[in-house]
Amino acid sequence: MSIPDNLFALDEQEIQNKNFVNHFLPFRSQSSGLDFEAIAGSILTVAFQKRLEKGSTLESFKSSVYGRLQYKLTDQEIFPLIEKMYFDNEAAGLFKVSPEFLIAKAAQAEASTNKHVAQVFIGFIRDSNRRFPKLSSEVNFLEQELVEAFQQQLTDCNEDPVESPYLPFMSELFSQDLGFLLEHPGYFLDNLRAFFSIYTFLYSSQLALNINGWTDQPASKPLFFILDTEKASLERNQVREAFRHLRTKTFDLFPVLSMLEYLNQPKNKKAIKFPLWKIFLDINDMDTLQRNSINSSLIRFCEKYREKRKFPSLEEYPQSTKELIEILSRTAKEIFGTKGTNQHAVNNKFVNAFENEIAPHFVQVRGRSGRVLTISQDYLLLLTNLAIGSRKQIQFQELLQEFRKRGVWFDRQSEQAIIRFLERIGNVERMSDSGDAVYVRKTL
């Protein structure tokens, strides 16, 4: 379904008493920790267009494996060792063999805590139309039997997209980076949690920074980090203000996205959900008659929306789409910004969930500078490898540009700290003393 399909159904939308956001937002007001292996399994199901056959279980898979091996192994006493190596502790060893085994965990991503993170990244994969490489993990004879037995329990799947990505620039980069990692299955498995953790944080942050800029397609906004080994001195204003600015922007996420739900046929599961900026640009491209009809629907919706929340009706409404969406957006923020109301309490819970569930690995308290955004050396190396990708090496300035594309910005002091760190681990090649002649290599 298209944007006009959704908007022409706007008059039928009933304003609900409850507050809800079902799309674009990867965190919820109450979370109990993210299972990134389950999230990865759900995403790989879409990337490989494969899922477990109905009725397949870990026990049925194990029986299949043992059936294959009983005629190929001369020493039957090895079976208890196989059990211990691959199937003990909820098959922990199995999920370290090859990424495709994570598909077996996809069902666990249906838990609400994981579902919404997976849903965002699945939208990225479906939007990219990227072909992901067939896995070729360097496995031994025994593990090859495990892989082949598992592949026989997979069936094809290819579902239609549910969401149009809110951040197209991050959608493309995520798909690109995932494709690169899957070319190195062992490295992917070693860095799985870090990869999905940092992308969940960067997506959430850039969504917050772009949520009010719906008149244009989103782009990476400046958000300054320091290395976790650096000092955050008081004169580094970009570093000191970064988290404070980000936190302020997160207060607008739930209000705007909850209003947006109504513009996307919330009760129609087949309706594709579109971001607010895409809706605005699409309306602007309509002919005058169609645009005026939709603007009238927006006015009627705003009246119902304000009345349901016990806000006074406006005496006059503008006729331009931009001004109407501004009124809707402002109304949503007023609803969730009124202290002492249930809506205000709900919004605070979402902001706290961002801080406590999504951001803790990237925020540190630094004395008088307060909370600042930090990148650990492990995260920096992962980002470096992703930024370089399939290339052998790139110039340092190009590396910084790749970081910025992904939403990670550094000031001059941090840039010098990064060069020193990369030099210590032997990843830098200097052609001269010029910063433009510094090249950085992957650690892979």
Side-chain angles (χ1 to χ4, degrees), residues 130-189:
R130 181 178 290 270
R131 301 291 297 178
F132 289 88
K134 184 178 180 181
L135 293 178
S136 57
S137 303
E138 294 182 0
V139 295
N140 56 41
F141 154 76
L142 181 59
E143 291 172 346
Q144 185 62 39
E145 292 293 327
L146 293 171
V147 170
E148 291 179 3
F150 185 73
Q151 288 175 340
Q152 289 181 357
Q153 297 206 349
L154 298 178
T155 186
D156 293 340
C157 68
N158 187 14
E159 298 178 3
D160 293 330
V162 176
E163 295 179 357
S164 176
Y166 212 106
L167 304 179
F169 72 92
M170 190 157 284
S171 171
E172 177 57 32
L173 289 166
F174 174 83
S175 301
Q176 172 187 306
D177 290 346
L178 179 62
F180 168 73
L181 287 178
L182 291 175
E183 292 175 358
H184 306 274
Y187 185 72
F188 170 74
L189 290 172

Side-chain angles (χ1 to χ4, degrees), residues 414-427:
S414 288
E415 290 175 9
Q416 294 305 309
I418 291 170
I419 289 182
R420 291 193 296 270
F421 166 67
L422 294 175
E423 282 183 321
R424 286 199 304 272
I425 63 174
N427 274 47

Side-chain angles (χ1 to χ4, degrees), residues 283-425:
I283 296 174
N284 269 3
D285 287 338
M286 294 176 181
D287 60 54
T288 303
L289 185 63
Q290 194 176 32
R291 185 167 57 250
N292 289 342
S293 176
I294 285 179
N295 285 347
S296 296
S297 292
L298 289 173
I299 291 173
R300 289 191 292 272
F301 168 72
C302 189
E303 289 176 335
K304 288 193 299 183
Y305 192 47
R306 293 180 67 86
E307 180 183 0
K308 188 71 174 182
R309 301 306 185 201
K310 295 181 170 53
F311 272 56
S313 179
L314 301 180
E315 292 183 3
E316 186 177 0
Y317 285 90
Q319 298 303 308
S320 76
T321 304
K322 181 175 182 292
E323 290 175 304
L324 286 171
I325 293 181
E326 282 175 349
I327 288 175
L328 282 171
S329 179
R330 187 168 64 247
T331 296
K333 293 173 193 175
E334 289 174 358
I335 289 170
F336 288 91
T338 304
K339 293 183 179 181
T341 63
N342 176 63
Q343 287 86 357
H344 184 262
V346 167
N347 198 24
N348 279 336
K349 287 181 179 179
F350 271 80
V351 174
N352 290 336
F354 169 76
E355 293 184 50
N356 298 329
E357 297 293 335
I358 306 300
H361 295 299
F362 307 96
V363 179
Q364 290 183 1
V365 178
R366 295 296 185 84
R368 291 171 61 190
S369 294
R371 286 184 289 181
V372 298
L373 296 172
T374 62
I375 289 283
S376 70
Q377 293 177 354
D378 288 340
Y379 280 118
L380 180 66
L381 286 177
L382 174 60
L383 279 173
T384 299
N385 288 331
L386 295 175
I388 298 174
S390 58
R391 294 166 289 184
K392 182 180 178 181
Q393 62 182 19
I394 60 176
Q395 286 187 343
F396 181 65
Q397 291 302 322
E398 188 178 355
L399 177 70
L400 295 177
Q401 181 60 30
E402 290 291 336
F403 288 165
R404 290 192 285 268
K405 287 180 183 178
R406 290 162 175 79
V408 179
W409 299 60
F410 295 105
D411 66 6
R412 281 297 179 86
Q413 286 183 246
S414 288
E415 290 175 9
Q416 294 305 309
I418 291 170
I419 289 182
R420 291 193 296 270
F421 166 67
L422 294 175
E423 282 183 321
R424 286 199 304 272
I425 63 174

Side-chain angles (χ1 to χ4, degrees), residues 82-330:
I82 294 174
E83 177 82 24
K84 184 176 182 180
M85 289 172 59
Y86 299 110
F87 295 103
D88 278 1
N89 300 320
E90 298 181 343
L94 185 68
F95 298 112
K96 295 178 182 179
V97 173
S98 177
E100 56 204 309
F101 284 110
L102 292 167
I103 293 174
K105 289 197 168 192
Q108 298 175 29
E110 288 302 308
S112 60
T113 304
N114 303 311
K115 178 180 178 180
H116 298 288
V117 174
Q119 184 173 284
V120 167
F121 295 136
I122 285 172
F124 287 178
I125 297 299
R126 287 177 173 151
D127 184 68
S128 71
N129 292 318
R130 181 178 290 270
R131 301 291 297 178
F132 289 88
K134 184 178 180 181
L135 293 178
S136 57
S137 303
E138 294 182 0
V139 295
N140 56 41
F141 154 76
L142 181 59
E143 291 172 346
Q144 185 62 39
E145 292 293 327
L146 293 171
V147 170
E148 291 179 3
F150 185 73
Q151 288 175 340
Q152 289 181 357
Q153 297 206 349
L154 298 178
T155 186
D156 293 340
C157 68
N158 187 14
E159 298 178 3
D160 293 330
V162 176
E163 295 179 357
S164 176
Y166 212 106
L167 304 179
F169 72 92
M170 190 157 284
S171 171
E172 177 57 32
L173 289 166
F174 174 83
S175 301
Q176 172 187 306
D177 290 346
L178 179 62
F180 168 73
L181 287 178
L182 291 175
E183 292 175 358
H184 306 274
Y187 185 72
F188 170 74
L189 290 172
D190 289 341
N191 292 275
L192 179 154
R193 294 176 183 274
F195 175 67
F196 289 109
S197 176
I198 195 167
Y199 254 107
T200 302
F201 173 72
L202 293 178
Y203 169 79
S204 301
S205 300
Q206 288 296 320
L207 182 65
L209 296 177
N210 279 280
I211 196 66
N212 293 318
W214 42 262
T215 56
D216 298 292
Q217 182 169 315
S220 178
K221 304 294 185 185
L223 190 64
F224 284 85
F225 294 73
I226 61 172
L227 297 187
D228 62 356
T229 54
E230 286 186 84
K231 292 182 179 179
S233 50
L234 292 177
E235 71 274 8
R236 300 176 71 176
N237 291 329
Q238 291 171 314
V239 170
R240 291 177 56 216
E241 293 298 322
F243 181 75
R244 189 180 310 166
H245 176 64
L246 174 60
R247 187 175 186 275
T248 299
K249 295 298 183 182
T250 59
F251 278 96
D252 291 338
L253 277 174
F254 189 85
V256 174
L257 292 177
S258 68
M259 178 274 294
L260 176 61
E261 288 284 342
Y262 292 104
L263 307 186
N264 281 313
Q265 296 195 66
K267 293 185 178 181
N268 187 343
K269 293 183 178 181
K270 293 183 179 180
I272 298 175
K273 315 305 176 184
F274 295 96
L276 188 57
W277 63 268
K278 201 174 186 73
I279 292 174
F280 170 73
L281 294 178
D282 203 74
I283 296 174
N284 269 3
D285 287 338
M286 294 176 181
D287 60 54
T288 303
L289 185 63
Q290 194 176 32
R291 185 167 57 250
N292 289 342
S293 176
I294 285 179
N295 285 347
S296 296
S297 292
L298 289 173
I299 291 173
R300 289 191 292 272
F301 168 72
C302 189
E303 289 176 335
K304 288 193 299 183
Y305 192 47
R306 293 180 67 86
E307 180 183 0
K308 188 71 174 182
R309 301 306 185 201
K310 295 181 170 53
F311 272 56
S313 179
L314 301 180
E315 292 183 3
E316 186 177 0
Y317 285 90
Q319 298 303 308
S320 76
T321 304
K322 181 175 182 292
E323 290 175 304
L324 286 171
I325 293 181
E326 282 175 349
I327 288 175
L328 282 171
S329 179
R330 187 168 64 247

